[in-house]
Amino acid sequence: MQSKNIGSAGRASSGGIRALRTAAKLKLGDLASLASIPLEQLKRIERGLAELDDVTARALAVAMGIEPSTVCDAHSAFLGSATPGEGYTTSRRGNLEMTPARSPLPKGDSRRKVLDLFCGAGGLSYGFERAGGFVTVGGIDLLPDRIATFTANHEHAVGLAGDICETSPASIREVVGDVDVIVGGPPCQGFSSIRPFRTLTESDRRNNLVEHYVLMLAGLQPRWFVFENVVGLVTHEGGEKLRAIVDAFSEMGYTVSWRIINAASFGVPQNRERVVIVGNRLGIDFEWPNPTHYVSYRSMAGRRRELVSSMPLDSTVLKPAVTLIDAIGDLPPVESGSEVSSYARSSGKTEFQRIIRDGASELTWHRATKHSDKMMEIIRHAGSSINDLPPGMVTSGFSSCYSRLDADRPSNTITVNFVHPSSNRCIHPHQDRALTPREGARLQSFPDSFAFVGTTAQVVKQIGNAVPPALGTVIAEAIRSQDATQMPRTSGQRALSR
Ligand SMILES: C[S@@+](CC[C@H](N)C(=O)[O-])C[C@H]1O[C@@H](n2cnc3c(N)ncnc32)[C@H](O)[C@@H]1O
């Protein structure tokens, strides 16, 4: 596929401050203490996640016995060349690379146009397309492999690989035109220091990815937006950050509402809670969809009014939650280090399996991590928590590490490490191995027909970071019904329903 650059700035290679520190034979903690800066801050600066101000640069230089300019130059070169961090991490790359849409949007296509910010694999916007009545016209993500997957599954979308901080609403509009809906979830380090919207201008220097999301809305003025994030946002700084974000959206003229949603309550075979903010410029009080599946779980956000919970609803009128085995039970057994590429049965056994196969004839990404002999020994002993292991077998880890998933419940939250047993519960309930990427994708409700592009490590992260498409579909359907019934038609606006 043809790609072209729409950004500036060349890239120089550098190991940054970390390389200088290593050359000075200093450990991270030693340098932090010599320079009198918090360890966490130093870690973030080294990884390109926090700004390096002049005072800190000077302190680091003195601690390493070098010139401040050497520290600044190394850091700038690092930001220009760093392999960007995964998932919720970020770093400045300099170039925005554009992948054109695989096929142009047919003339007169009346679907609502969706722009996906921080799109990753595009799980959220893919869910919108699946709802019908929406078409994704663009997506932006720091990482080229994410854009490769995104464009492979969004036929009419332009993909922009690069740092959102390097672009502006005007240049995005030039590439994708007007949009009706913006969706996306800025990575969470953007929680720090959001300013009131009225004090933001396009020319401001911002580290804060949430502010970039806000400015995209301000510049592109879609009728609707969906902002998704981790539940931690609800309690962060006593709820101040969430309030500031909601206020920023309201100040821009959006009618805003937010909820905490567990994907399992909507038929996703996984307990995955997220905070979702929906806003519109139509003055509509958004009506949140009601859960379709009964799931018994304890919310990370406690008992809040904003929790979309299936608990108060009569469990007899809801479907039972989709369990892990309902979701992956038709996949053939696979051993650690092996791959199986054909389905053992011609069709799925459960309703979920039949739907999720989505006509795929070849089984892809059903390959299991090759575990070491020591890890195999641990896996053979693994139970529902780390405490099930014989004493001394592992020396550290949270209680959910090295643990087996429960077959008869929705799975635990899938993380970006679900192929590694040392991370959050991800060992297959009956087989001696961690989940395969295909199993993870199923638990995230990606259909088997969805094309993942990249190395195994990249694809696992694309899967683990995504909004489950099925959750995107539920939100999209709610928006579609409320948009279609209440939207005042204005000139120049596209016809809305299909
Ligand atoms: C949680 S993931 C998005 C998942 C996506 N909504 C989905 O449903 O598949 C967040 C994404 O933000 C991207 N990202 C992080 N910093 C960025 C930046 N500065 N500019 C653009 N994208 C960034 C990451 O590469 C990551 O793919």
Side-chain angles (χ1 to χ4, degrees), residues 30-57:
D30 298 337
L31 180 56
S33 120
L34 283 171
S36 300
I37 59 171
L39 178 65
E40 265 316 300
Q41 187 191 350
L42 178 57
K43 263 194 212 163
R44 290 172 61 76
I45 291 172
E46 282 199 354
R47 292 167 59 200
L49 299 175
E51 282 285 286
L52 175 67
D53 58 51
D54 292 345
V55 176
T56 311

Side-chain angles (χ1 to χ4, degrees), residues 23 31 33 82 138 160 163 167 227-228 308 363 372 398 401 419 459 463:
L31 180 56
S33 120
L160 295 169
D163 190 340
T167 185
F227 175 103
E228 166 273 337
V308 175
L363 178 58
S372 66
F398 295 110
C401 300
V419 294
V459 166
I463 294 169

Side-chain angles (χ1 to χ4, degrees), residues 37 88 114 167 183 214 235 270 307 354 361 372 387 401 464 468 489:
I37 59 171
Y88 278 85
V114 178
T167 185
V183 301
V214 171
T235 46
Q270 181 195 169
L307 188 66
R354 281 189 287 276
S361 52
S372 66
N387 300 324
C401 300
R489 285 276 171 83

Side-chain angles (χ1 to χ4, degrees), residues 10-162:
R11 295 176 198 173
S13 175
S14 164
I17 292 171
R18 185 166 189 273
L20 296 178
R21 174 172 62 74
T22 314
K25 298 198 168 33
L26 288 171
K27 292 198 174 126
L28 202 63
D30 298 337
L31 180 56
S33 120
L34 283 171
S36 300
I37 59 171
L39 178 65
E40 265 316 300
Q41 187 191 350
L42 178 57
K43 263 194 212 163
R44 290 172 61 76
I45 291 172
E46 282 199 354
R47 292 167 59 200
L49 299 175
E51 282 285 286
L52 175 67
D53 58 51
D54 292 345
V55 176
T56 311
R58 240 192 322 272
L60 289 171
V62 171
M64 291 189 279
I66 53 180
E67 287 299 312
S69 59
T70 311
V71 174
C72 293
D73 291 349
H75 190 59
S76 308
F78 168 76
L79 292 180
S81 69
T83 300
E86 297 290 359
Y88 278 85
T89 66
T90 187
S91 141
R92 271 181 223 102
R93 285 171 51 87
N95 284 333
L96 268 163
E97 214 160 73
M98 182 175 93
T99 305
R102 282 185 291 125
S103 76
L105 199 59
K107 263 206 159 39
D109 190 314
S110 61
R111 287 176 291 176
R112 298 162 185 80
K113 296 186 170 55
V114 178
L115 171 66
D116 194 343
L117 304 178
F118 310 95
C119 61
L124 180 53
S125 50
Y126 187 75
F128 266 71
E129 292 208 344
R130 283 270 163 147
F134 296 89
V135 61
T136 311
V137 292
I140 176 163
D141 196 282
L142 192 59
L143 304 177
D145 65 277
R146 306 317 196 247
I147 291 299
T149 292
F150 173 81
T151 49
N153 296 282
H154 294 79
E155 113 173 79
H156 301 303
V158 172
L160 295 169

